[in-house]
Amino acid sequence: MKLSSKNLDTRLDTLYDAIVVGGGMGGLSAAIYLARYGLKCLVIEKGKGRSVWMQDLRNYLGLDPDTPGRDIVNHGTKQALDWGADHLRGYVEEVTDEGENLAVKVKVGKKDSAYPVFRTKYLIAASGVIDVLPQVENMQNVYDYAGYTLHVCMICDGFDMWDQKAVLIAAREPQINAAFVLNWYTPYISVLTNGLFSVGDEMRQKLADHGYPCTRPQSPNFSVKTTK
């Protein structure tokens, strides 16, 4: 059953066998199998997960490489509902251990939000990761490029940067280490810090050891480049 603020009261007295936090690929797979076993299951999905804004999914067996992530999520959601799972768009605020069961408090709606509490025997955490995207005035512009030329996962999309000029946007110094992994795919790498932090001597030396010259040694903004 698809739940919303209009009908969620019908499930507040339900004791679920499992609540799945996250309605992406993993969460929906879990929900489908739980429902197929005849178990009462609720999927809570906050929306705008990585799988939704990735336009092309090139590494899923049996799917065309230009399959949009949103198509897979929509189809998986329909499958879960068809098998008998419940589905709610909301954000899990708190999980409380009540002894025999767990109480899951959910925020539903951005304005005039409701905070229903659902109860379950088990909870499955399938929330994945939260990507920190570049914040610009027109965020839709960011989503338009996501999955094409803007990537957040080298495991998923590193191949698409093979021998291409790549920019690594780092918000903290440890994130610069991704450049040494990205070098597996391309030697043409620029690292941007946007002045958010200074690059320490140890990191500068690590860059030098890998053949990455630091073009602005006294500045928090720098770029690195290697050649074959």
Side-chain angles (χ1 to χ4, degrees), residues 125-149:
S127 53
V129 298
I130 297 177
D131 297 308
V132 181
L133 298 177
Q135 295 298 309
V136 299
E137 184 176 347
N138 180 8
M139 282 302 293
Q140 185 57 49
N141 186 270
V142 173
Y143 287 111
D144 287 341
Y145 284 96
Y148 289 122
T149 56

mmCIF file of all heavy atoms in Angstrom, residues 125-149:
data_model
loop_
_atom_site.group_PDB
_atom_site.id
_atom_site.type_symbol
_atom_site.label_atom_id
_atom_site.label_comp_id
_atom_site.label_asym_id
_atom_site.label_seq_id
_atom_site.Cartn_x
_atom_site.Cartn_y
_atom_site.Cartn_z
ATOM 1 N N ALA A 125 18.646 -1.253 7.675
ATOM 2 C CA ALA A 125 19.229 0.022 7.255
ATOM 3 C C ALA A 125 19.774 -0.133 5.843
ATOM 4 O O ALA A 125 20.778 -0.804 5.621
ATOM 5 C CB ALA A 125 20.338 0.443 8.216
ATOM 6 N N ALA A 126 19.074 0.464 4.891
ATOM 7 C CA ALA A 126 19.493 0.432 3.485
ATOM 8 C C ALA A 126 19.535 1.852 2.943
ATOM 9 O O ALA A 126 19.161 2.114 1.801
ATOM 10 C CB ALA A 126 18.533 -0.440 2.664
ATOM 11 N N SER A 127 19.997 2.766 3.794
ATOM 12 C CA SER A 127 19.975 4.193 3.436
ATOM 13 C C SER A 127 21.120 4.592 2.526
ATOM 14 O O SER A 127 21.146 5.709 2.006
ATOM 15 C CB SER A 127 20.003 5.052 4.706
ATOM 16 O OG SER A 127 21.085 4.676 5.530
ATOM 17 N N GLY A 128 22.089 3.686 2.329
ATOM 18 C CA GLY A 128 23.180 3.989 1.423
ATOM 19 C C GLY A 128 24.037 5.128 1.942
ATOM 20 O O GLY A 128 24.257 5.276 3.143
ATOM 21 N N VAL A 129 24.515 5.952 1.024
ATOM 22 C CA VAL A 129 25.355 7.090 1.383
ATOM 23 C C VAL A 129 24.644 8.381 0.988
ATOM 24 O O VAL A 129 23.765 8.387 0.137
ATOM 25 C CB VAL A 129 26.730 7.024 0.678
ATOM 26 C CG1 VAL A 129 27.488 5.792 1.099
ATOM 27 C CG2 VAL A 129 26.563 7.051 -0.835
ATOM 28 N N ILE A 130 25.028 9.464 1.643
ATOM 29 C CA ILE A 130 24.505 10.777 1.297
ATOM 30 C C ILE A 130 25.609 11.532 0.576
ATOM 31 O O ILE A 130 26.668 11.803 1.138
ATOM 32 C CB ILE A 130 24.058 11.552 2.550
ATOM 33 C CG1 ILE A 130 22.909 10.813 3.230
ATOM 34 C CG2 ILE A 130 23.622 12.976 2.179
ATOM 35 C CD1 ILE A 130 22.439 11.469 4.524
ATOM 36 N N ASP A 131 25.381 11.831 -0.682
ATOM 37 C CA ASP A 131 26.372 12.543 -1.479
ATOM 38 C C ASP A 131 26.274 14.042 -1.225
ATOM 39 O O ASP A 131 25.181 14.610 -1.171
ATOM 40 C CB ASP A 131 26.148 12.272 -2.971
ATOM 41 C CG ASP A 131 26.326 10.801 -3.309
ATOM 42 O OD1 ASP A 131 27.368 10.244 -2.936
ATOM 43 O OD2 ASP A 131 25.422 10.219 -3.938
ATOM 44 N N VAL A 132 27.424 14.673 -1.083
ATOM 45 C CA VAL A 132 27.480 16.121 -0.917
ATOM 46 C C VAL A 132 27.797 16.719 -2.277
ATOM 47 O O VAL A 132 28.943 16.687 -2.733
ATOM 48 C CB VAL A 132 28.541 16.535 0.121
ATOM 49 C CG1 VAL A 132 28.559 18.050 0.282
ATOM 50 C CG2 VAL A 132 28.256 15.857 1.459
ATOM 51 N N LEU A 133 26.773 17.246 -2.935
ATOM 52 C CA LEU A 133 26.944 17.795 -4.268
ATOM 53 C C LEU A 133 27.388 19.247 -4.196
ATOM 54 O O LEU A 133 27.139 19.940 -3.204
ATOM 55 C CB LEU A 133 25.626 17.699 -5.043
ATOM 56 C CG LEU A 133 25.091 16.294 -5.292
ATOM 57 C CD1 LEU A 133 23.742 16.351 -5.996
ATOM 58 C CD2 LEU A 133 26.077 15.488 -6.123
ATOM 59 N N PRO A 134 28.064 19.736 -5.241
ATOM 60 C CA PRO A 134 28.431 21.158 -5.262
ATOM 61 C C PRO A 134 27.180 22.030 -5.136
ATOM 62 O O PRO A 134 26.184 21.803 -5.814
ATOM 63 C CB PRO A 134 29.091 21.333 -6.640
ATOM 64 C CG PRO A 134 29.516 19.957 -7.049
ATOM 65 C CD PRO A 134 28.507 19.026 -6.453
ATOM 66 N N GLN A 135 27.238 23.011 -4.257
ATOM 67 C CA GLN A 135 26.094 23.892 -4.037
ATOM 68 C C GLN A 135 26.220 25.119 -4.930
ATOM 69 O O GLN A 135 27.128 25.928 -4.780
ATOM 70 C CB GLN A 135 26.023 24.313 -2.564
ATOM 71 C CG GLN A 135 25.762 23.153 -1.618
ATOM 72 C CD GLN A 135 24.422 22.477 -1.868
ATOM 73 O OE1 GLN A 135 23.381 23.136 -1.928
ATOM 74 N NE2 GLN A 135 24.447 21.165 -2.008
ATOM 75 N N VAL A 136 25.326 25.227 -5.888
ATOM 76 C CA VAL A 136 25.310 26.371 -6.797
ATOM 77 C C VAL A 136 23.927 26.996 -6.766
ATOM 78 O O VAL A 136 22.968 26.439 -6.210
ATOM 79 C CB VAL A 136 25.678 25.945 -8.242
ATOM 80 C CG1 VAL A 136 27.077 25.365 -8.297
ATOM 81 C CG2 VAL A 136 24.675 24.920 -8.771
ATOM 82 N N GLU A 137 23.814 28.157 -7.377
ATOM 83 C CA GLU A 137 22.541 28.885 -7.335
ATOM 84 C C GLU A 137 21.424 28.098 -8.001
ATOM 85 O O GLU A 137 20.300 28.051 -7.513
ATOM 86 C CB GLU A 137 22.708 30.248 -8.007
ATOM 87 C CG GLU A 137 21.467 31.123 -7.938
ATOM 88 C CD GLU A 137 21.695 32.501 -8.530
ATOM 89 O OE1 GLU A 137 22.869 32.862 -8.757
ATOM 90 O OE2 GLU A 137 20.706 33.223 -8.758
ATOM 91 N N ASN A 138 21.740 27.448 -9.097
ATOM 92 C CA ASN A 138 20.741 26.656 -9.819
ATOM 93 C C ASN A 138 21.093 25.175 -9.648
ATOM 94 O O ASN A 138 21.860 24.617 -10.433
ATOM 95 C CB ASN A 138 20.714 27.041 -11.296
ATOM 96 C CG ASN A 138 19.682 26.245 -12.083
ATOM 97 O OD1 ASN A 138 18.876 25.510 -11.514
ATOM 98 N ND2 ASN A 138 19.699 26.385 -13.390
ATOM 99 N N MET A 139 20.562 24.554 -8.609
ATOM 100 C CA MET A 139 20.892 23.166 -8.340
ATOM 101 C C MET A 139 20.400 22.228 -9.432
ATOM 102 O O MET A 139 20.943 21.137 -9.622
ATOM 103 C CB MET A 139 20.331 22.732 -6.988
ATOM 104 C CG MET A 139 21.151 23.201 -5.799
ATOM 105 S SD MET A 139 22.874 22.645 -5.848
ATOM 106 C CE MET A 139 22.691 20.875 -5.651
ATOM 107 N N GLN A 140 19.371 22.618 -10.177
ATOM 108 C CA GLN A 140 18.893 21.766 -11.258
ATOM 109 C C GLN A 140 19.982 21.566 -12.291
ATOM 110 O O GLN A 140 20.096 20.517 -12.915
ATOM 111 C CB GLN A 140 17.651 22.372 -11.918
ATOM 112 C CG GLN A 140 17.020 21.467 -12.974
ATOM 113 C CD GLN A 140 16.651 20.100 -12.417
ATOM 114 O OE1 GLN A 140 16.012 20.001 -11.378
ATOM 115 N NE2 GLN A 140 17.068 19.034 -13.091
ATOM 116 N N ASN A 141 20.830 22.592 -12.445
ATOM 117 C CA ASN A 141 21.948 22.485 -13.362
ATOM 118 C C ASN A 141 22.892 21.368 -12.929
ATOM 119 O O ASN A 141 23.424 20.641 -13.767
ATOM 120 C CB ASN A 141 22.686 23.822 -13.426
ATOM 121 C CG ASN A 141 23.776 23.825 -14.476
ATOM 122 O OD1 ASN A 141 24.915 23.479 -14.191
ATOM 123 N ND2 ASN A 141 23.427 24.209 -15.685
ATOM 124 N N VAL A 142 23.079 21.224 -11.616
ATOM 125 C CA VAL A 142 23.927 20.156 -11.096
ATOM 126 C C VAL A 142 23.306 18.799 -11.407
ATOM 127 O O VAL A 142 23.975 17.878 -11.882
ATOM 128 C CB VAL A 142 24.136 20.323 -9.576
ATOM 129 C CG1 VAL A 142 24.869 19.121 -9.002
ATOM 130 C CG2 VAL A 142 24.914 21.596 -9.285
ATOM 131 N N TYR A 143 22.006 18.661 -11.163
ATOM 132 C CA TYR A 143 21.337 17.383 -11.422
ATOM 133 C C TYR A 143 21.333 17.043 -12.912
ATOM 134 O O TYR A 143 21.350 15.872 -13.288
ATOM 135 C CB TYR A 143 19.908 17.416 -10.882
ATOM 136 C CG TYR A 143 19.843 17.357 -9.374
ATOM 137 C CD1 TYR A 143 19.424 18.451 -8.627
ATOM 138 C CD2 TYR A 143 20.219 16.209 -8.694
ATOM 139 C CE1 TYR A 143 19.374 18.398 -7.241
ATOM 140 C CE2 TYR A 143 20.177 16.145 -7.304
ATOM 141 C CZ TYR A 143 19.758 17.244 -6.588
ATOM 142 O OH TYR A 143 19.719 17.195 -5.224
ATOM 143 N N ASP A 144 21.309 18.071 -13.778
ATOM 144 C CA ASP A 144 21.325 17.814 -15.219
ATOM 145 C C ASP A 144 22.631 17.165 -15.653
ATOM 146 O O ASP A 144 22.651 16.371 -16.598
ATOM 147 C CB ASP A 144 21.119 19.122 -15.993
ATOM 148 C CG ASP A 144 19.688 19.633 -15.902
ATOM 149 O OD1 ASP A 144 18.796 18.830 -15.564
ATOM 150 O OD2 ASP A 144 19.465 20.832 -16.155
ATOM 151 N N TYR A 145 23.731 17.502 -14.976
ATOM 152 C CA TYR A 145 25.029 16.938 -15.333
ATOM 153 C C TYR A 145 25.351 15.665 -14.570
ATOM 154 O O TYR A 145 26.248 14.916 -14.963
ATOM 155 C CB TYR A 145 26.128 17.974 -15.094
ATOM 156 C CG TYR A 145 26.179 19.046 -16.156
ATOM 157 C CD1 TYR A 145 25.530 20.262 -15.970
ATOM 158 C CD2 TYR A 145 26.865 18.840 -17.348
ATOM 159 C CE1 TYR A 145 25.559 21.244 -16.945
ATOM 160 C CE2 TYR A 145 26.911 19.815 -18.331
ATOM 161 C CZ TYR A 145 26.255 21.020 -18.123
ATOM 162 O OH TYR A 145 26.286 21.990 -19.095
ATOM 163 N N ALA A 146 24.649 15.422 -13.472
ATOM 164 C CA ALA A 146 24.927 14.250 -12.649
ATOM 165 C C ALA A 146 24.743 12.967 -13.449
ATOM 166 O O ALA A 146 23.723 12.765 -14.090
ATOM 167 C CB ALA A 146 24.013 14.243 -11.431
ATOM 168 N N GLY A 147 25.747 12.124 -13.407
ATOM 169 C CA GLY A 147 25.678 10.869 -14.132
ATOM 170 C C GLY A 147 26.208 10.954 -15.540
ATOM 171 O O GLY A 147 26.418 9.924 -16.190
ATOM 172 N N TYR A 148 26.434 12.163 -16.029
ATOM 173 C CA TYR A 148 27.021 12.348 -17.360
ATOM 174 C C TYR A 148 28.474 12.821 -17.237
ATOM 175 O O TYR A 148 29.400 12.123 -17.606
ATOM 176 C CB TYR A 148 26.203 13.344 -18.176
ATOM 177 C CG TYR A 148 24.870 12.798 -18.609
ATOM 178 C CD1 TYR A 148 23.686 13.435 -18.259
ATOM 179 C CD2 TYR A 148 24.784 11.640 -19.383
ATOM 180 C CE1 TYR A 148 22.451 12.932 -18.659
ATOM 181 C CE2 TYR A 148 23.567 11.129 -19.781
ATOM 182 C CZ TYR A 148 22.394 11.776 -19.415
ATOM 183 O OH TYR A 148 21.179 11.279 -19.803
ATOM 184 N N THR A 149 28.647 14.023 -16.721
ATOM 185 C CA THR A 149 30.004 14.543 -16.520
ATOM 186 C C THR A 149 30.279 14.850 -15.056
ATOM 187 O O THR A 149 31.410 15.184 -14.711
ATOM 188 C CB THR A 149 30.224 15.817 -17.354
ATOM 189 O OG1 THR A 149 29.217 16.785 -17.023
ATOM 190 C CG2 THR A 149 30.141 15.503 -18.839
#
